[in-house]
Amino acid sequence: MKIGMPINYSGEFREVADELLDHEAVGLDLAIMGEAYSFDVVSALGYLAARTEKLRLASGILNIYSRTPALLAMTAAGLDHISDGRFMLGIGASGPQVVEGFHGIRYDAPLGRTREVAEICRKIWRREPTDYAGKYYKLPLDAEHGGTGLGKPLKLINHPLRDRIPMLLAAIGPKNTALAAELFEAWQPVLFLPEGAQAAFGDALAKGRAKRDPELGELQILVDSVACITTDERMREAVLQRVRQHVALYVGGMGARGKNFYNELAVRYGYADAAAEIQDRYLGGDKVGAAAAIPDELIEGLALVGDADHVARRVKAFADAGVSTLNVQAVAADRRGRVETIEALVAMAG
């Protein structure tokens, strides 16, 4: 298992980029950066590509609605080129709050659109003409489907460094998880609990793997967590409280009642009663109560917080659950402490 690091899109990016060089020196394998309704991630990844030498880079995620499939393919080819083949294109459906609320684009058919986006990207990387007749994307766009009739199939002018850039799908729903296992090189679930992974994702992964092209290789699994190696009980509790607040936001408030993917995930983990209470409290304005309603075992299972022996056991639990890359937000008193945390995790994972 490799150790990666999620880069926060709302933080002090230049300072994080400087520190990332220290992490790269002690064995960090991947930096993955998200994009919400924030600064775009492409600019930041281009900057990181120029600053780093060995670190793999990934978008985690670019949503499939606000950029066309061809633009996603162009962007990935460009980032892969300037990073000397270190880029992974992470995409996902996001949700209606962002897609419709921020971009003003209708949120529809996430599963079908994701499949077609992946097929179009790979077609473009192979420098094949953009001749594609999908249900959701028509290339060229002809007069019958609202075009002028003047479009013609084109192929990418540049020769991509790789004609098969790895693609990552961020997904937690059963159908999208199955699609990741079928069609993508990598899969990124959110709020990954090793002990609950089989119950929550096992059937969907098996369904997708049964259709998987062997040329894709083994499905890579990338998950995020928080790591703090400490014997200070107050620090341990403070970090776990931050994890609580994060989980409460997602399980309780990320989406409407009856349309919250993360709440549904907590149910699949076996926490149906807690999930309902967390959502009721959060949507009722009681964020503190929502966080307090999260079972301790769920919080401690999602995180890597405690003394070195405890953290090593949690690292092993993630590895045993099939995780390929564990992306950790290292928490320590200072920069040196964060670097030492990454170094220790690299040794534990290796």
Side-chain angles (χ1 to χ4, degrees):
M1 187 171 68
K2 302 293 186 181
I3 299 299
M5 179 179 293
I7 307 299
N8 194 327
Y9 48 71
S10 62
E12 295 296 330
F13 175 72
R14 288 184 181 275
E15 289 78 359
V16 171
D18 288 340
E19 187 171 316
L20 200 59
L21 301 179
D22 294 338
H23 295 305
E24 181 182 39
V26 297
L28 186 72
D29 180 72
L30 172 76
I32 184 167
M33 189 167 183
E35 181 181 86
Y37 41 101
S38 55
F39 289 159
D40 79 290
V41 69
V42 178
S43 300
L45 289 172
Y47 180 80
L48 292 180
R51 293 287 308 276
T52 58
E53 295 181 359
K54 298 181 295 184
L55 204 61
R56 290 189 299 142
L57 303 169
S59 56
I61 60 169
L62 299 178
N63 82 73
I64 61 170
Y65 294 91
S66 59
R67 293 175 174 89
T68 67
L71 180 55
L72 286 168
M74 293 165 63
T75 299
L79 285 171
D80 200 51
H81 180 77
I82 63 172
S83 66
D84 293 325
R86 292 184 283 133
F87 180 66
M88 176 184 292
L89 175 61
I91 63 173
S94 185
Q97 287 184 319
V98 173
V99 173
E100 295 183 351
F102 191 72
H103 296 287
I105 298 172
R106 182 181 176 186
Y107 187 87
D108 67 340
L111 192 69
R113 288 187 181 277
T114 300
R115 179 181 291 276
E116 293 189 10
V117 166
E119 291 174 349
I120 293 169
C121 282
R122 287 171 175 156
K123 188 179 185 71
I124 289 174
W125 296 330
R126 293 192 299 265
R127 298 192 72 243
E128 296 174 3
T130 50
D131 185 0
Y132 186 86
K135 182 177 180 180
Y136 305 102
Y137 299 101
K138 313 289 184 182
L139 301 174
L141 184 63
D142 55 27
E144 181 182 352
H145 296 93
T148 63
L150 300 176
K152 65 178 183 178
L154 301 171
K155 64 181 179 181
L156 190 67
I157 293 173
N158 308 87
H159 289 257
L161 191 63
R162 294 183 287 177
D163 63 6
R164 188 96 183 218
I165 297 170
M167 297 185 73
L168 174 152
L169 181 62
I172 56 174
K175 291 182 179 179
N176 270 306
T177 296
L179 181 64
E182 174 193 349
L183 200 62
F184 286 73
E185 283 85 0
W187 167 57
Q188 185 185 26
V190 179
L191 303 181
F192 185 87
L193 178 67
E195 290 78 5
Q198 180 58 36
F201 304 115
D203 289 346
L205 289 172
K207 183 178 180 180
R209 282 172 169 144
K211 303 177 183 178
R212 188 175 181 83
D213 184 343
E215 289 189 5
L216 285 171
E218 185 68 24
L219 178 69
Q220 302 297 297
I221 302 175
L222 287 74
V223 304
D224 292 350
S225 188
V226 173
C228 178
I229 302 175
T230 181
T231 56
D232 185 329
E233 187 60 23
R234 287 183 299 178
M235 185 171 187
R236 175 181 176 276
E237 288 299 324
V239 176
L240 289 176
Q241 182 60 28
R242 286 171 51 182
V243 178
R244 280 187 179 278
Q245 293 168 350
H246 177 75
V247 174
L249 167 63
Y250 276 72
V251 174
M254 194 67 77
R257 194 183 302 277
K259 193 65 174 178
N260 182 321
F261 308 128
Y262 311 99
N263 192 278
E264 294 168 8
L265 176 60
V267 172
R268 298 206 303 276
Y269 282 151
Y271 297 103
D273 292 342
E277 182 180 356
I278 295 163
Q279 188 173 64
D280 286 344
R281 288 181 178 273
Y282 199 97
L283 295 181
D286 182 11
K287 297 181 180 180
V288 173
I294 304 171
D296 291 345
E297 63 182 14
L298 176 58
I299 295 301
E300 294 181 6
L302 294 170
L304 302 97
V305 180
D307 62 32
D309 288 341
H310 173 79
V311 171
R313 289 193 296 271
R314 294 312 302 157
V315 169
K316 184 177 185 303
F318 279 93
D320 289 347
V323 173
S324 308
T325 300
L326 183 57
N327 299 314
V328 295
Q329 177 190 355
V331 180
D334 54 25
R335 176 170 174 167
R336 185 63 235 165
R338 290 188 292 272
V339 174
E340 290 174 349
T341 297
I342 293 296
E343 186 173 25
L345 292 172
V346 169
M348 292 174 186

